[in-house]
Amino acid sequence: MSKYYLNYLDELESEAIFVLREVWAQFENPVILFSGGKDSILVTHLAKKAFYPAKIPFPLMHVDTGHNFPETIKFRDDIIKELGVNLIVGSVQESIDDGRVAEEKGKNATRNALQITTLLDAIEANKVDCAIGGGRRDEEKARAKERFFSHRDDFGQWDPKNQRPELWNIFNGKHFQGEHFRAFPISNWTEMDVWNYIKRENIAIPSLYFAHEREVVRREGTWIPNSEFLTLEEHEEVVVKKIRFRTLGDITITGGDESDADTLEKIAAEVAGMRNTERGNRSDDKRSESAMEDRKRQGYF
């Protein structure tokens, strides 16, 4: 009798689609958290597959820091138009203007932590009961603690010691009024898996992931993009380098690597030889050993 085997990418795809369909079955008003980065693009692609030939049955939600790469915003608008889905935008600038959060000051100021309040306000205003994210366990030690269904209390806070068991892939999405969940369909994927799948499926991604010449500044061991939001020190100099970004976030904190990888094949080969994590160039994660976990406990992605 012949046996049927799935390719490992097919197994990961099947698992992610199962989680996405469970979200749709158990929750009333889910959204996909969409940043324009490769992981949220991948989750959106998987959602398209999960519900084909129908449209993705829930909107995309973007927390706009106001300090985005212009390429990311253009990509976001293009994909929304292509998919014909609704977009919910939470604005950090509006949170600042309304006095909900205070802008950081200084050379290393960032709006990254300010996204927490904006995100939780958007979840409450839109009565979201499950926010689907592209977090993966291999990214960072705090994300390694996540389950597929991550419970958040009525303050939007995450308690890693108070998560529900997920034996035999049985997910419990029951929650009290005011509480919500985060769901992570690609938890078990690695960075290499993501790139191999993007290459296999020929998924469009922002040009920022490919090596290209860009104005950058050397800061804390990485290349930070020059922008109107960057305050230069006297000793710092803007130079042009061939740079690519492994992860995308606020333009003021996202460091790039010198690279010649300008195709998906070259990116996959480059990642295969790397030993540092893809978030190693994110200055927001360098603030302390527990920077990511501290933000997650407060309601971060």
Coordinates of all heavy atoms in Angstrom, one line a residue, residues 127-188:
K127 N -14.0 46.3 18.8 CA -14.5 45.0 19.4 C -13.9 43.8 18.9 O -14.5 42.8 18.6 CB -16.1 45.0 19.3 CG -16.8 46.1 20.0 CD -18.3 46.0 19.8 CE -19.0 47.0 20.6 NZ -18.7 48.4 20.4
V128 N -12.6 43.8 18.7 CA -11.8 42.7 18.2 C -11.6 41.7 19.3 O -11.2 42.0 20.5 CB -10.4 43.1 17.7 CG1 -9.5 41.9 17.4 CG2 -10.6 44.1 16.5
D129 N -12.0 40.4 19.0 CA -11.8 39.4 20.1 C -10.6 38.4 19.8 O -10.3 37.6 20.6 CB -13.1 38.6 20.3 CG -13.7 38.0 19.0 OD1 -13.1 38.2 17.9 OD2 -14.7 37.3 19.1
C130 N -10.0 38.6 18.6 CA -8.8 37.8 18.3 C -8.0 38.6 17.3 O -8.5 38.9 16.2 CB -9.1 36.4 17.8 SG -7.6 35.4 17.5
A131 N -6.7 38.9 17.6 CA -5.8 39.5 16.7 C -4.8 38.5 16.2 O -4.0 38.0 17.0 CB -5.2 40.7 17.3
I132 N -4.7 38.3 14.9 CA -3.9 37.2 14.4 C -2.5 37.9 14.0 O -2.5 38.9 13.2 CB -4.5 36.6 13.1 CG1 -5.9 36.1 13.4 CG2 -3.6 35.5 12.6 CD1 -6.7 35.8 12.2
G133 N -1.4 37.4 14.5 CA -0.1 38.0 14.3 C 0.8 37.0 13.6 O 0.6 35.8 13.5
G134 N 2.0 37.5 13.2 CA 3.0 36.7 12.5 C 4.1 36.4 13.3 O 5.2 36.1 12.8
G135 N 4.0 36.4 14.7 CA 5.1 36.0 15.6 C 5.5 34.6 15.4 O 4.6 33.7 15.2
R136 N 6.8 34.4 15.5 CA 7.3 33.0 15.4 C 8.2 32.7 16.6 O 8.9 33.6 17.1 CB 8.2 32.8 14.1 CG 7.5 33.2 12.9 CD 8.3 32.8 11.6 NE 9.8 33.0 11.9 CZ 10.5 34.1 11.7 NH1 9.9 35.2 11.2 NH2 11.8 34.1 11.9
R137 N 8.2 31.5 17.1 CA 9.0 31.1 18.3 C 10.5 31.3 18.1 O 11.2 31.4 19.1 CB 8.6 29.7 18.7 CG 7.1 29.5 19.1 CD 6.9 28.2 19.7 NE 5.5 28.1 20.2 CZ 4.6 27.3 19.6 NH1 4.9 26.5 18.6 NH2 3.3 27.3 20.0
D138 N 11.0 31.2 16.9 CA 12.4 31.2 16.8 C 13.0 32.7 16.8 O 14.2 32.9 16.8 CB 12.9 30.5 15.5 CG 12.7 31.4 14.2 OD1 11.6 32.1 14.1 OD2 13.5 31.4 13.3
E139 N 12.1 33.7 16.8 CA 12.5 35.1 16.7 C 13.2 35.6 17.9 O 14.2 36.3 17.9 CB 11.3 36.0 16.4 CG 10.8 35.9 15.0 CD 9.6 36.9 14.8 OE1 8.5 36.6 15.2 OE2 9.9 38.0 14.3
E140 N 12.6 35.2 19.1 CA 13.0 35.9 20.3 C 12.5 35.0 21.5 O 11.5 34.3 21.4 CB 12.4 37.3 20.4 CG 13.1 38.3 21.2 CD 12.7 38.2 22.7 OE1 11.6 37.7 22.9 OE2 13.4 38.6 23.6
K141 N 13.2 35.0 22.6 CA 12.9 34.1 23.7 C 11.5 34.3 24.3 O 10.9 33.4 24.8 CB 14.0 34.1 24.8 CG 14.3 35.5 25.4 CD 15.4 35.4 26.4 CE 15.8 36.8 26.9 NZ 16.4 37.6 25.9
A142 N 11.0 35.6 24.3 CA 9.7 35.8 24.8 C 8.6 35.2 23.9 O 7.6 34.7 24.4 CB 9.5 37.3 25.0
R143 N 8.9 35.3 22.6 CA 7.9 34.8 21.6 C 7.9 33.2 21.6 O 7.0 32.6 21.2 CB 8.2 35.3 20.2 CG 7.8 36.8 20.1 CD 7.9 37.3 18.7 NE 7.3 38.6 18.6 CZ 7.3 39.4 17.6 NH1 8.0 39.1 16.5 NH2 6.7 40.6 17.6
A144 N 9.0 32.6 22.1 CA 9.1 31.2 22.2 C 8.1 30.6 23.2 O 7.8 29.4 23.2 CB 10.5 30.8 22.5
K145 N 7.7 31.5 24.2 CA 6.7 31.1 25.2 C 5.3 31.1 24.7 O 4.4 30.6 25.5 CB 6.9 32.0 26.4 CG 8.2 32.0 27.1 CD 8.3 33.0 28.2 CE 9.7 33.1 28.9 NZ 9.7 34.0 30.0
E146 N 5.0 31.6 23.6 CA 3.7 31.7 23.1 C 3.0 30.4 22.7 O 3.7 29.5 22.2 CB 3.6 32.7 21.9 CG 3.8 34.2 22.3 CD 2.5 34.8 22.9 OE1 1.7 34.0 23.4 OE2 2.5 36.0 23.0
R147 N 1.7 30.3 22.9 CA 0.9 29.2 22.3 C 0.3 29.7 21.0 O 0.4 30.9 20.6 CB -0.2 28.9 23.3 CG 0.2 28.6 24.7 CD 1.0 27.2 24.8 NE 1.6 27.0 26.1 CZ 1.0 26.5 27.1 NH1 -0.3 26.1 27.0 NH2 1.6 26.3 28.2
F148 N -0.4 28.8 20.3 CA -1.1 29.3 19.0 C -2.2 30.3 19.4 O -2.3 31.3 18.7 CB -1.7 28.1 18.3 CG -0.7 27.2 17.6 CD1 -0.4 26.0 18.0 CD2 -0.1 27.7 16.4 CE1 0.6 25.2 17.3 CE2 0.8 27.0 15.7 CZ 1.2 25.7 16.1
F149 N -2.9 30.0 20.5 CA -3.9 30.9 21.0 C -3.4 31.5 22.3 O -3.2 30.8 23.3 CB -5.3 30.1 21.3 CG -6.2 29.9 20.1 CD1 -5.7 29.9 18.8 CD2 -7.5 29.8 20.3 CE1 -6.5 29.7 17.7 CE2 -8.4 29.6 19.2 CZ -7.9 29.5 17.9
S150 N -3.1 32.8 22.3 CA -2.5 33.5 23.4 C -3.6 34.4 24.1 O -4.0 35.4 23.5 CB -1.3 34.3 22.9 OG -0.8 35.0 24.0
H151 N -3.9 34.0 25.3 CA -5.0 34.7 26.0 C -4.5 36.1 26.6 O -3.3 36.1 27.0 CB -5.5 33.9 27.2 CG -6.5 34.6 28.1 ND1 -6.1 35.2 29.3 CD2 -7.8 34.8 27.9 CE1 -7.2 35.7 29.8 NE2 -8.2 35.5 29.1
R152 N -5.3 37.1 26.4 CA -5.0 38.4 27.0 C -6.1 38.8 27.9 O -7.3 38.6 27.6 CB -4.8 39.5 25.9 CG -3.8 39.1 24.9 CD -2.4 39.0 25.5 NE -1.4 38.4 24.5 CZ -0.4 39.1 23.9 NH1 -0.3 40.4 24.2 NH2 0.4 38.5 23.1
D153 N -5.8 39.4 29.1 CA -6.9 39.7 30.0 C -7.6 41.0 29.6 O -7.4 41.5 28.5 CB -6.3 39.9 31.4 CG -5.3 41.0 31.6 OD1 -5.3 41.9 30.8 OD2 -4.5 41.0 32.6
D154 N -8.5 41.5 30.5 CA -9.3 42.7 30.1 C -8.5 44.0 30.0 O -9.1 45.0 29.6 CB -10.6 42.8 31.0 CG -10.2 42.8 32.4 OD1 -9.1 42.6 32.8 OD2 -11.2 43.0 33.2
F155 N -7.3 43.9 30.4 CA -6.4 45.1 30.2 C -5.4 44.9 29.0 O -4.5 45.7 28.8 CB -5.5 45.3 31.5 CG -6.3 45.7 32.7 CD1 -6.6 44.8 33.7 CD2 -6.7 47.1 32.8 CE1 -7.4 45.2 34.8 CE2 -7.5 47.5 33.9 CZ -7.8 46.5 34.9
G156 N -5.6 43.8 28.3 CA -4.8 43.5 27.2 C -3.5 42.9 27.5 O -2.6 42.8 26.7
Q157 N -3.3 42.5 28.8 CA -2.0 42.0 29.2 C -1.8 40.5 29.0 O -2.8 39.8 29.0 CB -1.8 42.4 30.7 CG -1.8 43.9 31.0 CD -1.7 44.2 32.4 OE1 -2.3 43.5 33.3 NE2 -1.1 45.3 32.8
W158 N -0.5 40.1 28.9 CA -0.2 38.7 28.6 C 0.5 38.2 29.8 O 1.5 38.8 30.3 CB 0.7 38.7 27.4 CG 1.3 37.4 27.1 CD1 0.7 36.2 26.7 CD2 2.7 37.0 27.1 NE1 1.6 35.2 26.5 CE2 2.9 35.7 26.7 CE3 3.9 37.7 27.4 CZ2 4.1 35.0 26.6 CZ3 5.1 37.1 27.3 CH2 5.2 35.7 26.9
D159 N 0.1 37.0 30.3 CA 0.7 36.4 31.4 C 1.2 35.0 30.9 O 0.4 34.1 30.7 CB -0.3 36.2 32.6 CG 0.4 35.5 33.8 OD1 1.6 35.1 33.7 OD2 -0.3 35.3 34.8
P160 N 2.5 34.8 30.7 CA 3.0 33.6 30.1 C 2.8 32.4 31.0 O 2.8 31.2 30.5 CB 4.5 33.9 29.9 CG 4.8 35.0 30.9 CD 3.6 35.8 30.9
K161 N 2.6 32.6 32.3 CA 2.3 31.5 33.2 C 0.9 31.1 33.3 O 0.5 30.2 34.0 CB 2.8 31.9 34.6 CG 4.4 32.1 34.7 CD 4.8 32.4 36.1 CE 6.3 32.6 36.1 NZ 6.8 33.0 37.5
N162 N 0.0 31.8 32.6 CA -1.4 31.6 32.7 C -2.0 31.4 31.3 O -3.0 32.0 31.0 CB -2.1 32.8 33.4 CG -3.6 32.5 33.7 OD1 -4.0 31.3 33.9 ND2 -4.4 33.5 33.8
Q163 N -1.4 30.5 30.5 CA -1.9 30.2 29.2 C -2.5 28.8 29.2 O -2.1 28.0 30.0 CB -0.7 30.3 28.2 CG -0.1 31.7 28.0 CD -1.2 32.7 27.5 OE1 -1.9 32.5 26.6 NE2 -1.2 33.9 28.2
R164 N -3.3 28.6 28.3 CA -4.1 27.3 28.2 C -3.4 26.2 27.5 O -2.7 26.5 26.5 CB -5.5 27.6 27.6 CG -6.3 28.6 28.4 CD -7.5 29.1 27.7 NE -8.1 30.1 28.5 CZ -9.3 30.8 28.1 NH1 -9.8 30.5 27.0 NH2 -9.8 31.7 28.9
P165 N -3.5 25.0 28.0 CA -2.8 23.9 27.3 C -3.4 23.7 25.9 O -4.6 24.0 25.6 CB -3.1 22.7 28.2 CG -4.4 23.1 28.9 CD -4.3 24.5 29.1
E166 N -2.6 23.2 25.0 CA -3.1 23.0 23.6 C -2.7 21.5 23.2 O -2.0 21.3 22.2 CB -2.4 24.0 22.6 CG -2.9 25.4 22.9 CD -2.3 26.4 22.0 OE1 -1.3 26.2 21.3 OE2 -2.9 27.5 21.9
L167 N -3.2 20.6 24.0 CA -2.9 19.2 23.7 C -3.7 18.7 22.5 O -4.9 19.1 22.3 CB -3.3 18.3 24.9 CG -2.7 18.7 26.3 CD1 -3.2 17.9 27.4 CD2 -1.2 18.5 26.1
W168 N -3.1 17.9 21.6 CA -3.7 17.4 20.4 C -4.3 18.5 19.5 O -5.3 18.3 18.8 CB -4.8 16.4 20.8 CG -4.3 15.3 21.7 CD1 -3.4 14.3 21.4 CD2 -4.6 15.1 23.1 NE1 -3.2 13.5 22.5 CE2 -3.9 14.0 23.5 CE3 -5.5 15.8 23.9 CZ2 -4.0 13.6 24.8 CZ3 -5.6 15.3 25.2 CH2 -4.9 14.2 25.7
N169 N -3.7 19.7 19.6 CA -4.1 20.8 18.7 C -5.6 21.1 19.0 O -6.3 21.5 18.1 CB -3.9 20.5 17.3 CG -2.4 20.8 16.9 OD1 -1.7 21.4 17.6 ND2 -2.1 20.4 15.7
I170 N -6.0 21.0 20.2 CA -7.3 21.5 20.6 C -7.2 22.8 21.3 O -6.5 23.0 22.3 CB -8.0 20.5 21.6 CG1 -8.2 19.1 20.9 CG2 -9.4 21.0 22.1 CD1 -8.7 18.0 21.8
F171 N -7.8 23.8 20.7 CA -7.6 25.2 21.1 C -8.9 25.7 21.8 O -10.0 25.5 21.4 CB -7.4 26.1 19.9 CG -6.2 25.7 19.1 CD1 -6.3 25.7 17.7 CD2 -5.0 25.3 19.7 CE1 -5.2 25.3 16.9 CE2 -3.9 24.9 18.9 CZ -4.0 24.9 17.5
N172 N -8.7 26.4 22.9 CA -9.8 26.9 23.8 C -9.8 28.4 23.7 O -9.0 29.1 24.2 CB -9.6 26.5 25.2 CG -10.7 27.0 26.1 OD1 -11.6 27.6 25.7 ND2 -10.5 26.8 27.4
G173 N -10.7 29.0 22.9 CA -10.8 30.4 22.7 C -11.9 31.1 23.5 O -12.2 32.2 23.3
K174 N -12.4 30.4 24.5 CA -13.4 31.0 25.4 C -12.8 32.1 26.2 O -11.7 32.0 26.8 CB -14.0 29.9 26.3 CG -14.8 28.8 25.6 CD -15.5 27.9 26.5 CE -16.2 26.7 25.8 NZ -17.3 27.2 25.0
H175 N -13.6 33.2 26.3 CA -13.1 34.3 27.1 C -14.2 35.2 27.6 O -15.3 35.1 27.1 CB -12.2 35.2 26.2 CG -12.9 35.7 25.0 ND1 -13.1 35.0 23.9 CD2 -13.4 36.9 24.7 CE1 -13.8 35.7 23.0 NE2 -14.0 36.9 23.5
F176 N -13.9 35.9 28.7 CA -14.9 36.8 29.3 C -15.0 38.1 28.5 O -14.1 38.4 27.7 CB -14.6 37.1 30.8 CG -14.7 35.9 31.7 CD1 -13.6 35.3 32.2 CD2 -16.0 35.3 32.0 CE1 -13.7 34.2 33.0 CE2 -16.1 34.2 32.8 CZ -14.9 33.7 33.3
Q177 N -16.1 38.8 28.7 CA -16.2 40.1 28.0 C -15.0 41.0 28.4 O -14.6 41.1 29.5 CB -17.5 40.8 28.4 CG -17.8 42.1 27.7 CD -19.2 42.6 28.0 OE1 -20.0 42.0 28.8 NE2 -19.5 43.8 27.5
G178 N -14.5 41.7 27.4 CA -13.3 42.6 27.6 C -12.0 41.9 27.3 O -11.0 42.6 27.1
E179 N -12.0 40.6 27.4 CA -10.7 39.8 27.2 C -10.6 39.6 25.7 O -11.6 39.7 24.9 CB -10.7 38.5 27.9 CG -10.7 38.7 29.4 CD -10.8 37.3 30.1 OE1 -11.1 36.3 29.5 OE2 -10.5 37.3 31.3
H180 N -9.4 39.2 25.2 CA -9.3 38.8 23.8 C -8.1 37.9 23.7 O -7.4 37.6 24.6 CB -9.1 40.1 22.9 CG -7.8 40.7 23.0 ND1 -7.5 41.7 24.0 CD2 -6.7 40.7 22.2 CE1 -6.3 42.1 23.8 NE2 -5.7 41.5 22.8
F181 N -7.9 37.4 22.5 CA -6.8 36.5 22.2 C -5.9 37.0 21.1 O -6.4 37.9 20.3 CB -7.3 35.1 21.7 CG -7.7 34.2 22.8 CD1 -8.9 34.3 23.6 CD2 -6.8 33.1 23.2 CE1 -9.2 33.5 24.6 CE2 -7.1 32.3 24.2 CZ -8.3 32.4 24.9
R182 N -4.7 36.6 21.1 CA -3.8 36.8 19.9 C -3.6 35.3 19.4 O -3.5 34.4 20.2 CB -2.4 37.4 20.3 CG -2.5 38.7 21.1 CD -3.0 39.8 20.3 NE -3.3 41.0 21.2 CZ -2.4 41.9 21.6 NH1 -1.1 41.7 21.2 NH2 -2.7 42.9 22.3
A183 N -3.5 35.2 18.1 CA -3.3 33.9 17.5 C -2.1 34.0 16.6 O -1.9 35.0 15.9 CB -4.5 33.5 16.6
F184 N -1.3 32.9 16.6 CA 0.0 32.9 15.9 C 0.1 31.7 15.0 O 0.7 30.7 15.4 CB 1.2 33.0 16.9 CG 1.2 34.2 17.8 CD1 0.7 34.2 19.1 CD2 1.5 35.5 17.3 CE1 0.7 35.3 19.9 CE2 1.5 36.6 18.0 CZ 1.1 36.5 19.4
P185 N -0.4 31.7 13.8 CA -0.5 30.5 13.0 C 0.9 30.0 12.5 O 1.0 28.8 12.2 CB -1.3 31.0 11.8 CG -2.0 32.3 12.2 CD -1.1 32.9 13.2
I186 N 1.9 30.9 12.4 CA 3.2 30.5 12.0 C 4.2 30.3 13.1 O 5.4 30.5 12.9 CB 3.7 31.4 10.8 CG1 3.9 32.8 11.3 CG2 2.8 31.3 9.6 CD1 4.6 33.7 10.3
S187 N 3.7 30.0 14.3 CA 4.6 29.9 15.4 C 5.7 28.9 15.2 O 6.9 29.2 15.7 CB 3.8 29.4 16.7 OG 3.0 30.5 17.2
N188 N 5.5 27.8 14.5 CA 6.5 26.8 14.4 C 7.4 27.0 13.2 O 8.3 26.1 12.9 CB 5.8 25.4 14.3 CG 5.3 25.0 15.6 OD1 5.7 25.4 16.7 ND2 4.2 24.1 15.6

